[in-house]
């Protein structure tokens, strides 16, 4: 049987919301011309809805059944994904849609977050030439990355469209492609190609599936904080093709510019992104939280890179060529130039 058309979803959903398809009592939002406010993707149709008090929600109706997706959302019910995750409620066989015949479809209901997607916010800041705003956003992303790396699950489709910049901070949405321990169903989704290593495939289903996308997003935001004019297209300026190809001119130019600007973490990630591996084992060390070094800090070495720690707590990731103490504080060296930490 074919997947339902949008008008068939809409007709069934308008009736279903009135009869309790989910735990919230919702009504669909109408546009100025009286039509429904919706967005259609390849695997689902998303409708804008609201409560009687006008609290906005998104109702996501899936075109096809996925046993893997059901297993993902069942497992997520047992997880605390705060403060960065916004999962919503997943309802199995929640809506009967009449297409060629009646078909039961799954529905995801989630609050509509106030804010812009990461892509939209980055474009806005670049148009304004706001380097400080871009740097702050890059630091927020790195803090979220450190948190995400520390979880036992992975998002699975990390891209600028699935990160929302809200007044309360960054929020992750759309967990359809997530990895969680002990799932039994085969993976079928691998996320957007532009933000994935080209060798990623459905057989890769572990904690490291976000690593490459995290590195790529961080590099882009730190690069734009150095030069907002690099943002000229609809997407971020540095994508998969600029790192994993035979010709990496843009990646080499970017690495030199980041080094000149003292962007040690992004400079290190540039090298990581050019490696022929879709999984990155040392992400936690690269994204270790950076704070002003206390007086009791000491330098430490990981491979050929140096950082700072205070006891067991890392206060500056091991991404520098060298770290030295001077009278007025700690300094990291990158490409023969020292930067105050």
């Amino acid at each position: 049987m074919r997947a339902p058309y949008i008008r068939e979803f809409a007709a069934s959903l308008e009736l279903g919301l009135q009869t309790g398809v989910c735990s919230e009592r919702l009504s669909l939002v109408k546009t100025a011309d009286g039509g429904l406010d919706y967005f259609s993707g390849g695997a689902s149709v998303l409708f804008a809805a609201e409560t009687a008090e006008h609290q906005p929600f998104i109702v996501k109706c899936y075109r096809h059944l996925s046993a893997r997706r059901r297993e993902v959302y069942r497992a997520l019910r047992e997880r605390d994904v705060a403060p960065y995750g916004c999962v919503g409620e997943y309802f199995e066989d929640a809506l009967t849609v009449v297409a060629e015949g009646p078909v039961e479809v799954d529905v995801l209901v989630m609050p509509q977050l106030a804010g812009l997607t990461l892509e939209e916010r980055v474009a806005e800041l670049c148009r304004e030439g706001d380097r400080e705003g871009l740097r702050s956003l890059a630091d927020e992303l790195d803090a979220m990355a450190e948190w995400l790396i520390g979880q036992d699950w992975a998002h699975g489709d990390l891209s600028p469209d699935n990160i929302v910049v809200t007044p309360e901070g960054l929020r992750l949405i759309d967990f359809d492609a997530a990895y969680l321990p002990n799932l039994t169903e085969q993976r079928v989704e691998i996320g957007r190609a532009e933000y994935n290593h080209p060798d990623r495939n459905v057989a890769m289903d572990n904690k490291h599936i976000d690593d490459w996308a995290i590195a790529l997003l961080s590099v882009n935001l730190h690069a734009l904080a150095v030069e907002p004019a690099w943002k000229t297209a609809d997407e971020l300026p540095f994508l998969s093709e600029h790192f994993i190809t035979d010709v990496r001119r843009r990646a080499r130019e970017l690495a030199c510019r980041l080094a000149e600007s003292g962007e040690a973490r992004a400079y290190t990630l540039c090298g990581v992104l050019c490696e022929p591996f879709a999984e990155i084992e040392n992400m936690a060390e690269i994204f270790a939280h950076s704070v002003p070094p206390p007086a009791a800090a000491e330098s430490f070495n990981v491979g050929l890179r140096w950082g700072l720690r205070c006891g067991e707590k890392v206060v500056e990731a091991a991404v520098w060529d060298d770290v030295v103490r001077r009278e007025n504080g700690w300094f990291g060296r990158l490409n023969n130039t020292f930067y105050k930490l």
Side-chain angles (χ1 to χ4, degrees):
M1 182 180 293
R2 64 168 172 80
Y5 297 138
I6 294 173
R7 66 175 182 272
E8 294 166 342
F9 273 123
S12 299
L13 187 58
E14 284 195 285
L15 178 61
L17 289 177
Q18 296 170 14
T19 57
V21 71
C22 62
S23 57
E24 295 284 348
R25 186 68 65 179
L26 303 173
S27 59
L28 295 179
V29 173
K30 301 293 180 66
T31 61
D33 60 3
L36 294 178
D37 186 358
Y38 71 90
F39 171 80
S40 179
S44 60
V45 183
L46 288 74
F47 294 91
E50 62 182 8
T51 65
E53 294 76 29
H54 302 293
Q55 181 181 358
F57 279 79
I58 296 294
V59 181
K60 185 175 184 178
C61 301
Y62 292 94
R63 298 180 187 272
H64 300 284
L65 172 65
S66 166
R68 165 74 181 214
R69 186 175 63 237
R70 286 184 168 187
E71 193 176 20
V72 163
Y73 282 100
R74 287 172 193 157
L76 284 171
R77 288 175 190 150
E78 310 302 319
R79 286 288 193 287
D80 180 6
V81 298
Y84 291 104
C86 182
V87 176
E89 289 187 90
Y90 191 87
F91 301 92
E92 299 178 11
D93 294 329
L95 184 67
T96 301
V97 180
V98 179
E100 293 176 340
V103 56
E104 305 294 323
V105 301
D106 293 354
V107 172
L108 177 70
V109 179
M110 62 171 288
Q112 184 171 353
L113 299 174
L116 301 173
T117 66
L118 183 66
E119 167 62 33
E120 292 167 338
R121 181 57 177 152
V122 165
E124 185 177 77
L125 292 170
C126 287
R127 284 195 300 270
E128 297 168 355
D130 188 350
R131 286 181 169 83
E132 194 58 41
L134 287 162
R135 168 57 64 88
S136 176
L137 193 57
D139 290 342
E140 281 190 68
L141 181 79
D142 286 355
M144 186 186 76
E146 184 185 14
W147 171 84
L148 185 56
I149 291 164
Q151 306 304 307
D152 66 347
W153 52 271
H155 181 273
D157 187 11
L158 212 57
S159 70
D161 290 337
N162 287 334
I163 302 172
V164 181
V165 185
T166 77
E168 294 75 35
L170 301 183
R171 295 294 182 267
L172 287 169
I173 59 172
D174 191 352
F175 287 77
D176 292 1
Y179 160 80
L180 293 99
N182 304 318
L183 295 183
T184 60
E185 296 290 340
Q186 173 68 41
R187 168 174 294 280
V188 294
E189 295 186 51
I190 59 172
R192 289 181 59 183
E194 301 94 326
Y195 299 97
N196 272 320
H197 192 286
D199 289 341
R200 183 181 169 188
N201 56 53
V202 294
M204 296 177 183
D205 194 23
N206 58 41
K207 179 65 193 72
H208 292 286
I209 57 174
D210 287 338
D211 289 357
W212 213 79
I214 287 172
L216 186 61
L217 290 173
S218 179
V219 164
N220 270 279
L221 264 62
H222 284 279
L224 291 171
V226 171
E227 184 47 77
W230 277 330
K231 180 74 170 67
T232 57
D234 293 336
E235 295 172 329
L236 297 182
F238 302 99
L239 302 175
S240 172
E241 63 192 51
H242 300 122
F243 294 93
I244 307 298
T245 61
D246 292 334
V247 181
R248 298 172 179 161
R249 179 181 57 82
R250 289 201 73 191
R252 288 193 293 270
E253 292 174 354
L254 174 61
C256 290
R257 186 67 182 274
L258 291 169
E260 291 169 359
S261 304
E263 291 280 359
R265 175 180 288 150
Y267 171 77
T268 300
L269 289 172
C270 264
V272 168
L273 288 168
C274 289
E275 294 292 332
F277 308 110
E279 301 174 5
I280 305 168
E281 294 290 342
N282 64 333
M283 288 289 281
E285 288 81 3
I286 295 174
F287 278 91
H289 187 49
S290 180
V291 297
E298 59 180 10
S299 59
F300 72 101
N301 176 262
V302 176
L304 300 176
R305 295 289 182 175
W306 289 84
L308 282 179
R309 65 185 174 201
C310 188
E312 295 300 314
K313 182 177 176 58
V314 173
V315 294
E316 185 73 29
V319 296
W320 299 90
D321 294 337
D322 192 13
V323 173
V324 297
R325 176 79 186 215
R326 294 178 176 171
E327 288 187 4
N328 55 340
W330 287 97
F331 289 78
R333 178 170 62 85
L334 197 63
N335 278 19
N336 297 317
T337 301
F338 282 95
Y339 302 88
K340 193 172 191 309
L341 302 181

